[in-house]
Amino acid sequence: FGGGGGFTPGWAFANVNSLNNKLLLINMPRVSSKGVFTTGGGGFIYIGFVPGLRIGGMGYGGSTSTNSTITNASGQLLYNTETLYSTGGGGLTIEYTLPFIKSIGVSPGLIIGGGNITVELYQNGVNNGWDGLGLPQGLHNTLNNNFWLIAPTINFLIPFYRFFCIRVGAGYNFTLGEKWTLNNNQSFSGVPSNFNGKNFFIQTGIFIGFFSF
């Protein structure tokens, strides 16, 4: 029984191969395929009428960016470029702590909520100024994907002195109703099916509350 809340850093792994193939074709920097560091928070409470069942909420977000330059044949700088990849989400958590494991809490569960992916592409000229405001001095595209998510999870909680615990866990995001848009909510089609919100993630946590397993 008990409950608590705290800080939940993590790591989200996504399939960005199709995105990077497209970025290579359009001469934009590719994003890292090693995942995205995320930060967030969460909390939970055990509900007494169902022993071992706890409910709560969580949220997370993170981003990674890559910079590059475009030059002409003589090496003169033409553009500074950047690709920014962001992901985030959150929702209701439902977990059940296995009663036959003592001293630590082993809790399978689900996250039910929503999430998003954003890809921002920047291509900026080197001579930007007030007089050129509103003229095509560069490029900025924002690609956004919103979706519902259902994520099976498994978490391990290690309590210290009943009032402090460390959590380590993992899960996988399954998505529903993915909708891609461009810039100011314009419809966008043709996105490869393997570039989506589905991903494996690792999440840790430092929680303060009251814990008894």
Side-chain angles (χ1 to χ4, degrees):
F1 63 93
F7 175 60
T8 56
W11 202 267
F13 301 88
N15 184 351
V16 294
N17 291 336
S18 293
L19 172 62
N20 280 335
N21 290 339
K22 182 64 174 180
L23 294 173
L24 183 63
L25 288 175
I26 61 176
N27 206 22
M28 293 294 293
R30 289 169 289 179
V31 302
S32 172
S33 59
K34 297 180 180 180
V36 178
F37 175 69
T38 63
T39 58
F44 62 87
I45 188 170
Y46 285 90
I47 55 176
F49 58 88
V50 180
L53 183 66
R54 69 187 191 212
I55 60 173
M58 58 81 69
Y60 68 93
S63 64
T64 181
S65 66
T66 308
N67 297 277
S68 186
T69 58
I70 297 176
T71 60
N72 60 19
S74 62
Q76 181 183 7
L77 179 63
L78 298 178
Y79 296 101
N80 295 300
T81 60
E82 179 182 7
T83 300
L84 176 64
Y85 176 95
S86 306
T87 185
L92 172 73
T93 61
I94 304 171
E95 299 172 290
Y96 178 74
T97 301
L98 302 177
F100 53 84
I101 300 177
K102 306 300 181 181
S103 300
I104 67 171
V106 179
S107 305
L110 283 175
I111 301 170
I112 303 172
N116 73 286
I117 294 171
T118 301
V119 180
E120 295 182 75
L121 305 178
Y122 297 92
Q123 186 182 92
N124 299 307
V126 293
N127 295 311
N128 302 306
W130 182 262
D131 291 338
L133 191 64
L135 300 176
Q137 301 182 80
L139 171 147
H140 176 206
N141 280 334
T142 300
L143 184 61
N144 192 68
N145 180 19
N146 292 312
F147 48 81
W148 299 102
L149 66 83
I150 299 175
T153 60
I154 181 72
N155 285 300
F156 302 86
L157 277 80
I158 306 170
F160 295 89
Y161 305 109
R162 294 186 181 271
F163 301 106
F164 172 80
C165 80
I166 294 175
R167 186 178 77 176
V168 179
Y172 189 89
N173 284 332
F174 293 95
T175 60
L176 299 169
E178 297 200 33
K179 182 181 180 181
W180 289 95
T181 57
L182 180 69
N183 297 335
N184 56 334
N185 206 36
Q186 301 300 302
S187 61
F188 190 79
S189 61
V191 179
S193 60
N194 62 351
F195 181 45
N196 52 50
K198 300 179 179 69
N199 68 278
F200 172 75
F201 62 88
I202 295 172
Q203 194 173 68
T204 62
I206 301 173
F207 285 77
I208 297 174
F210 182 78
F211 314 97
S212 179
F213 305 113

